[in-house]
Amino acid sequence: MSLLELTGDGMGWPGWWEWLAAVAPVIASTMVAVGIVPAGITIRSGYTTARLSRWWGQAQWALDASFSPIPEKQKAGLRLLRVLAAQKWLGAGELRVLEAAVERPLADAARATAAPTAAAPSIVEPPHEVAVEAAWLKVSLGLRLNQVTPAWIKEMAGEEP
């Protein structure tokens, strides 16, 4: 038996093992790609889920604090909500949840501004620090949600956040 007979069909064609050796890198690359893509998607999904879970834990504390009867705790909660609202990956749904924290302080500030005190009717008290924090958060959320923020809220914030 000659070498030509062992390596092919006698006509110069390579044997099946040579074809296999020639296509093995392509087969291996395909198998790696088929395995890596789903693994990458799973890892990214797990990372996103963990990040959102951690964010929601912080947001829950901040929302609870913003509804506290203690003004210092309210300010801290609203300030943390403003930091949390700055995350670029947040969707409109999450941002609208954070918006709920500003309603009460801003409504209280609007009532206080609209009705001057009985002792000095011409003097309007400066806004409470909690209302200022709420105004800053409202301006920040308005920018993120492409909403028009009323001028009196921007004025209360005193500066662009």
Side-chain angles (χ1 to χ4, degrees), residues 65-125:
S66 71
F67 288 103
S68 169
I70 304 166
E72 291 80 20
K73 194 170 182 180
Q74 285 179 336
K75 284 185 350 188
L78 289 166
R79 198 167 287 162
L80 178 57
L81 287 175
R82 192 159 45 118
V83 170
L84 293 173
Q87 300 295 320
K88 299 294 183 203
W89 52 269
L90 291 177
E94 288 88 2
L95 294 172
R96 285 199 171 85
V97 168
L98 300 183
E99 204 170 21
V102 302
E103 291 175 5
R104 187 180 64 180
L106 291 179
D108 292 346
R111 279 193 298 278
T113 311
T117 61
S122 62
I123 300 173
V124 177
E125 291 183 18

